[in-house]
Amino acid sequence: MASTLRRTPAEPAVRPAPAGRRRRRGGFLSPPWWFAAPALAVYALVVLYPSLSGVLYAFTDWNGLGERSFVGLDNFGKLWGDDAARGSLVNTLLLTVAIVLVQNGVGLLLALGVHAKIKSRTVLRVVFFAPAVVSPVMVAFLWKYVYNPAPDAGLNAVLGALGLGGLRQDWLGDPSLALWSVAGMVIWQFAGYSMVIFLAGLEGVPAELHEAAMIDGAGRFQRFRHVTWPLLAPAVTINVMLSTIGGLKLFDQVYAATNGGPGHASETLSTVLYKQAFVFGNYGYSTAIALVLALFVAAVSLVQIYYLRGREVTS
């Protein structure tokens, strides 16, 4: 005789909280926000409010002291018609491209080198990363000595000792070399920083994948191309983003090493902005340059995020 008893499903031990209650617990009045509120208030007062209110000065002719009057888009029109500003934009883009490509390329090579099973890898990691924690101004003054135009000092002395005296140059005084000399000192300082990020990515690559590729007959270059490189996509995204933003707003090294010279050969948007504000007193015009620079950096960053994040997914 068949049983007519039916099993009732077991009720969950803990019933989920209503949706409204969950929203209230995770809203802006939840305890985590109480702890973050003081820091957010200070940040808004010190950073956000001055930045947003300063945008208004981009549409005025304020000189920093007297009254200001509204001039509309005149400052932006002056920016596009200023030969020094246009030249500084080209220099900024060239510097950024050089820094992104060479710095990340060198950083990747250093990461692959210190990731190998060598006894001195810990010491080498410290040595390569050390310049990244030094003040950019100190690095600029150090490299001003390295780039000393005297034939018996710095890099020129090394070239002479190696029998390459014909390659001696006035590295910071030659308009065709000054920009690339600045790029060299920036790359030297931050290649170790890129190395650390790539090294973190390399540590996360499973050894089993390399072993399987070796069993299948893949060589060292093939393993790097088909196993390591795709898994380094997040590290590539971080490094490219950081080096791009750093290159676009580069100021310290340029100002300390060349002051934008000779002429305007190594001028960047940041140095033009500084001079217009604190040398010529054109605060309204300098604010317009700052606004254009900020929007340009934001636009480039968004494009990079969209492309590089897509690469991470496809990898």
Side-chain angles (χ1 to χ4, degrees):
M1 186 171 161
S3 175
T4 58
L5 295 178
R6 296 181 180 179
R7 291 188 179 184
T8 57
E11 294 186 0
V14 179
R15 295 183 178 180
R21 186 180 301 175
R22 288 200 300 269
R23 282 197 295 268
R24 284 195 297 272
R25 289 181 178 177
F28 287 100
L29 298 180
S30 59
W33 285 101
W34 300 346
F35 293 100
L40 292 176
V42 173
Y43 181 78
L45 181 64
V46 176
V47 178
L48 293 182
Y49 175 72
S51 299
L52 295 177
S53 62
V55 172
L56 300 177
Y57 292 102
F59 303 93
T60 67
D61 60 353
W62 190 48
N63 61 4
L65 295 175
E67 296 292 330
R68 61 181 185 271
S69 58
F70 182 76
V71 295
L73 299 176
D74 289 353
N75 287 329
F76 298 95
K78 180 182 177 181
L79 173 61
W80 303 126
D82 188 350
D83 292 337
R86 289 204 308 270
S88 67
L89 175 60
V90 174
N91 290 339
T92 301
L93 294 177
L94 291 175
L95 265 176
T96 302
V97 172
I99 290 171
V100 170
L101 295 179
V102 181
Q103 176 182 313
N104 289 305
V106 173
L108 179 59
L109 292 176
L110 293 177
L112 291 172
V114 299
H115 185 62
K117 303 301 181 181
I118 55 177
K119 293 183 179 179
S120 60
R121 62 182 181 273
T122 302
V123 176
L124 290 176
R125 292 177 185 182
V126 175
V127 171
F128 292 144
F129 181 73
V133 301
V134 180
S135 167
V137 176
M138 292 183 61
V139 171
F141 280 107
L142 170 66
W143 277 85
K144 284 185 72 173
Y145 173 77
V146 174
Y147 288 140
N148 194 316
D152 58 346
L155 182 58
N156 285 338
V158 175
L159 292 175
L162 296 176
L164 302 174
L167 298 179
R168 292 170 177 164
Q169 302 288 339
D170 185 1
W171 302 99
L172 296 177
D174 188 342
S176 63
L177 293 175
L179 188 69
W180 308 115
S181 299
V182 172
M185 71 174 69
V186 176
I187 292 167
W188 175 85
Q189 181 175 13
F190 293 108
Y193 191 88
S194 299
M195 174 202 72
V196 171
I197 297 175
F198 280 127
L199 190 59
L202 290 173
E203 296 289 348
V205 178
E208 294 81 3
L209 296 180
H210 284 284
E211 295 174 358
M214 291 177 63
I215 294 174
D216 290 338
R220 180 173 300 179
F221 177 76
Q222 291 176 322
R223 294 199 305 272
F224 173 78
R225 179 182 177 185
H226 298 289
V227 177
T228 305
W229 180 246
L231 295 178
L232 282 180
V236 172
T237 299
I238 296 172
N239 269 328
V240 171
M241 290 288 299
L242 292 177
S243 56
T244 300
I245 294 173
L248 290 175
K249 61 185 187 67
L250 189 66
F251 172 78
D252 297 358
Q253 294 89 335
V254 177
Y255 191 79
T258 66
N259 195 21
H264 299 289
S266 60
E267 205 84 76
T268 64
L269 281 175
S270 295
T271 58
V272 170
L273 186 160
Y274 176 86
K275 291 178 181 178
Q276 288 295 332
F278 299 105
V279 177
F280 304 113
N282 299 324
Y283 283 89
Y285 181 45
S286 67
T287 307
I289 298 176
L291 180 59
V292 170
L293 178 59
L295 293 176
F296 184 67
V297 172
V300 172
S301 301
L302 289 175
V303 172
Q304 284 186 327
I305 289 176
Y306 177 79
Y307 173 77
L308 294 174
R309 288 295 186 185
R311 179 182 176 274
E312 290 182 22
V313 174
T314 55
S315 296

